[in-house]
Amino acid sequence: MISHTMNPCINTNVSLGVDEACLSILNLYYNPVTFYSIAWDAYWGIGVPKGPLPPQSNNSFVISTKYPLHIYYQTFENNRSYDHCHTTYSFKEHGNYQWNVTGDDRCPEVEVLREPSESYLPIFAAFMVYTLLAILWTTSKVMIRVIRGRLSPDNAPDDLDRLQETESTTHPVIRTTRASTRIRSVDTFRGIAILLMIFVNNGGGKYVFFNHSAWYGLTVADLVLPWFAWIMGLTITISKRAELRVTVSRVKIMLHCIRRSLVLILLGLMLNSIKNNSFSDLRFPGVLQLLGVSYFVCSMLETIFMKPHSQDTLLQFGRFASFRDILDSWPQWLVMAVIMTTHTLITFLLPVPNCPKGYFGPGGQYEYRGEYMNCTAGAAGYIDRLIFGNHMYPKPKESIYGDILRYDPEGLMNTISAIFIVYLGVHAGKILLLYYQYNSRVIRWILWAVLTGIIAGNLCHFSTQGGVIPVSKRMMTLSFDLTCSSFAFLLYAILYSLIDCKQVWSGAPFIYAGTNPILLYVGHILTKDLLPWSWNISHPTHASLLAMNLWTTTLWALIAYVLYQKDIIITI
C-alpha cells in the first residue's frame, strides 16, 4: 500500500502515472476487512491483498487500468475467512472511483466520482495527422506533375520533334534499379511488419493493444514477428525457384542458406550482448535467431525438393491442376506434418516435474491457488530452462500472474513452432509462382486465410483462453500460428490486389522500409535509447509516449526512404 505522502489519490501534488486510476473504498462494516484485486485474466480463485480496511474508514488505492480488474473483500469471522462481492470492472485511466463495503449480501456497483481522461484521443489525433500528411504528399506530387506538364513546350512540334517522339515511344528508356525489380506487394508487407515492430518495440505509447498480450490472446504487437516470418517464407519460394532456374547447383544454394542463417544468428547474439556482454548469462535465443533457424529449415527443404519447372503435365493441365500448389510440394508438407506432430506430442506428453501434462499457462502464485507455480510455459518452458539455463530471457520484473519462472518467447519449442509459420508463407509463394491469373492467386490466398482461421478457432474454441490449444504468443501455440497466418494470407491478398494488380497504391511509405528490413531492425535496436530517436520524459503520458514512439518509427521510415531513393539495398 502506498504511503499517504506518495499516494496521488490523497496528495494532489503527486500525479497518477500511465494506466493508473484511484479507487476509494468506504468500509461501512463494523469489522475490519481486507481488500483484494487482480487482473481478470490472471484470476483463478484468489486475488492479491491490497491492504486492510479498518471499520468505518475510507481508504484510497492506486489501481492499474491495463486490464479489467477483479475486486472483492474478505472478512474473518469465527476463525474462518469469507469472500464478499466478487466484481469485475474495467477502470479507465486517471478516473476516480468509489466502492462501498457493507459486510452483507448487498454488493453496490462501482461509482464514478471523477470521469477518466480520454486516453485514446492521442491515437485519433495521430491518425488524423498522418492522414493529413498523406493527403498533402499525394496532392503535392499531382501538382508537381501538372506544373511540369504546363511548363513543357506545348507548341505544335515540327518534323524533328515528331521523329524524336516516335523513337522515344518505340524504344523507351527505362531506368532499372534494384528496387524496381522486386515484387512491390512483398516489400510493402515486409515494411508494414518491420515498422510495426519498431513501433511496438519502442513502447507503442504504453497502450495495452500495442504491446504483447500478458499470456493468452492476441494484440497488434503479437502479429509483427509471425508476419515477418511468414513473408520471409514467401520470399524463400521466389528466390529458390529463381536460383534453380538459372542452373545454380543445389549444393551451392545450400551453402548460401547456411551462410545466411549463421549471419542472422550471429547478429542476434550481438544484439543480445548490448545490455549484457557477460558470456555466463548471455541470452542465446532471440528474434533473429528464431528467424535464422526457421529460414534454414524451410530454405533447405525447398532447395532439396523444389523443382525448377513444373515437370508433371497432369499437375499442370489435368484434373489435379487446381491442387498443384499442394501436390507439387507434398514432401515438404510431409516434413511439416512430422515437425508439428512432434511439437504437439512433446507439448502434451512430456512429463514436467510437479506439473500437469499439456499445460499452457504462465504458472505463478495465483493460478489454481499456486498449484502450478513452477509450471511456467509447460513443456516449452521446462525444455528451455533445461537446455539454456541462465542463457535465456531474464525473469519478468512485473507480471499480472505474480512470481513466474524464466521462460523464453523465442526458445527452442517456439522456434520449432515458427518453422510452420514460415512454411505457410512458403506455400503462399507457391501460389504466386504456380498460378498466373489474378483470380486464381487471390482466391487461394483467401481460402487459406479462411481454412487456417477456422482450424485455429476450433482449437481455441474462438475464445481468449479456452480450447484444446489456446492462443498464446508467449508459447507460439499451433492456434497462434494459424491465427497469425490467417491474417497474413488475407493481408497479402489485399496488398497484391491493390499494388501489383490494380495499381491503385504504390505501397508507400511501407515499401521503402520493406527493402531494408534487417538493417532497420538492427539499427533501431542499436539506437533505441539514443537521441534523436528517443529521450527521457519526466512525466510520461500516453500522448507524450505515443508522440515519441511515432517519431522514432517515422524517422526510420525516412531513413528507409532515403536508402530506397539512392537504390541502396543491404541484404545478408
Side-chain angles (χ1 to χ4, degrees), residues 145-214:
R145 290 177 183 176
V146 172
I147 293 173
R148 286 179 177 176
R150 288 182 177 179
L151 293 177
S152 62
D154 55 358
N155 296 328
D158 55 20
D159 292 339
L160 181 59
D161 292 334
R162 290 194 185 96
L163 179 61
Q164 292 176 342
E165 183 179 343
T166 303
E167 290 179 350
S168 63
T169 305
T170 307
H171 305 287
V173 177
I174 301 176
R175 180 176 175 264
T176 302
T177 63
R178 295 179 66 187
S180 65
T181 59
R182 300 163 68 94
I183 301 176
R184 301 181 70 85
S185 57
V186 172
D187 282 338
T188 303
F189 188 107
R190 193 160 39 202
I192 292 173
I194 192 63
L195 289 180
L196 270 177
M197 190 179 293
I198 292 172
F199 176 65
V200 301
N201 282 355
N202 281 277
K206 289 292 184 179
Y207 288 101
V208 172
F209 43 83
F210 287 145
N211 283 269
H212 293 296
S213 53

Side-chain angles (χ1 to χ4, degrees), residues 23 155 196 206 256 262 321 373 468 476 539 556 558 566 572:
L23 176 61
N155 296 328
L196 270 177
K206 289 292 184 179
H256 174 74
L262 290 176
M373 179 180 292
V468 180
M476 278 209 175
H539 299 289
W556 279 112
L558 291 173
K566 294 183 177 296
I572 58 174

Side-chain angles (χ1 to χ4, degrees), residues 473-486:
K473 193 275 176 189
R474 305 287 180 174
M475 289 188 63
M476 278 209 175
T477 57
L478 180 58
S479 58
F480 173 80
D481 292 354
L482 293 170
T483 301
C484 295
S485 298
S486 176

Side-chain angles (χ1 to χ4, degrees), residues 206-509:
K206 289 292 184 179
Y207 288 101
V208 172
F209 43 83
F210 287 145
N211 283 269
H212 293 296
S213 53
W215 195 270
Y216 297 108
L218 195 69
T219 66
V220 176
D222 295 331
L223 292 170
V224 292
L225 177 57
W227 279 3
F228 196 88
W230 187 91
I231 199 64
M232 182 178 70
L234 192 149
T235 59
I236 287 174
T237 306
I238 299 170
S239 61
K240 298 311 162 195
R241 177 62 64 88
E243 290 172 0
L244 288 171
R245 280 184 172 178
V246 296
T247 65
V248 178
S249 69
R250 293 181 189 265
V251 174
K252 188 175 181 179
I253 297 175
M254 289 180 185
L255 292 175
H256 174 74
C257 295
I258 295 172
R259 183 193 65 81
R260 192 177 189 212
S261 300
L262 290 176
V263 170
L264 284 171
I265 293 171
L266 180 60
L267 279 175
L269 290 173
M270 291 171 62
L271 294 180
N272 286 353
S273 68
I274 292 176
K275 293 185 177 180
N276 183 9
N277 59 1
S278 173
F279 190 78
S280 60
D281 53 358
L282 173 67
R283 183 191 176 201
F284 287 167
V287 171
L288 293 183
Q289 293 91 313
L290 178 144
L291 293 175
V293 173
S294 55
Y295 170 84
F296 171 77
V297 174
C298 292
S299 61
M300 291 294 279
L301 280 175
E302 290 305 299
T303 303
I304 294 170
F305 294 110
M306 178 183 277
K307 306 178 185 69
H309 304 279
S310 186
Q311 299 168 355
D312 195 330
T313 305
L314 184 62
L315 291 182
Q316 282 187 323
F317 307 107
R319 67 180 65 181
F320 300 108
S322 297
F323 303 98
R324 66 179 180 270
D325 54 319
I326 299 175
L327 298 176
D328 190 67
S329 56
W330 68 265
Q332 295 95 308
W333 276 109
L334 183 61
V335 174
M336 283 299 117
V338 171
I339 289 175
M340 292 312 297
T341 300
T342 303
H343 181 276
T344 304
L345 290 176
I346 292 174
T347 301
F348 280 97
L349 301 180
L350 181 72
V352 179
N354 302 318
C355 297
K357 292 182 179 179
Y359 181 72
F360 288 93
Q365 56 189 342
Y366 307 117
E367 188 173 19
Y368 297 107
R369 295 185 179 268
E371 294 179 14
Y372 301 158
M373 179 180 292
N374 297 324
C375 302
T376 302
Y382 176 69
I383 291 173
D384 286 342
R385 289 188 291 272
L386 199 63
I387 295 176
F388 297 117
N390 291 331
H391 301 282
M392 57 189 297
Y393 202 81
K395 193 173 183 178
K397 295 181 180 179
E398 295 182 6
S399 171
I400 64 172
Y401 304 102
D403 188 23
I404 63 177
L405 297 182
R406 294 178 72 168
Y407 70 95
D408 205 297
E410 286 84 39
L412 180 61
M413 290 289 284
N414 288 11
T415 300
I416 294 174
S417 181
I419 293 171
F420 185 53
I421 299 178
V422 175
Y423 191 75
L424 287 172
V426 169
H427 189 75
K430 294 281 182 68
I431 294 172
L432 184 65
L433 290 180
L434 295 177
Y435 300 96
Y436 305 109
Q437 293 182 342
Y438 161 75
N439 290 338
S440 299
R441 292 170 171 173
V442 172
I443 289 174
R444 281 172 174 79
W445 288 326
I446 292 176
L447 287 175
W448 274 96
V450 173
L451 177 63
T452 52
I454 290 175
I455 296 175
N458 280 280
L459 290 176
C460 68
H461 288 179
F462 293 93
S463 62
T464 303
Q465 300 188 27
V468 180
I469 303 178
V471 175
S472 173
K473 193 275 176 189
R474 305 287 180 174
M475 289 188 63
M476 278 209 175
T477 57
L478 180 58
S479 58
F480 173 80
D481 292 354
L482 293 170
T483 301
C484 295
S485 298
S486 176
F487 286 119
F489 276 111
L490 182 60
L491 177 60
Y492 186 73
I494 294 172
L495 294 177
Y496 177 78
S497 301
L498 295 177
I499 298 171
D500 293 331
C501 292
K502 306 299 181 182
Q503 297 184 357
V504 297
W505 180 33
S506 66

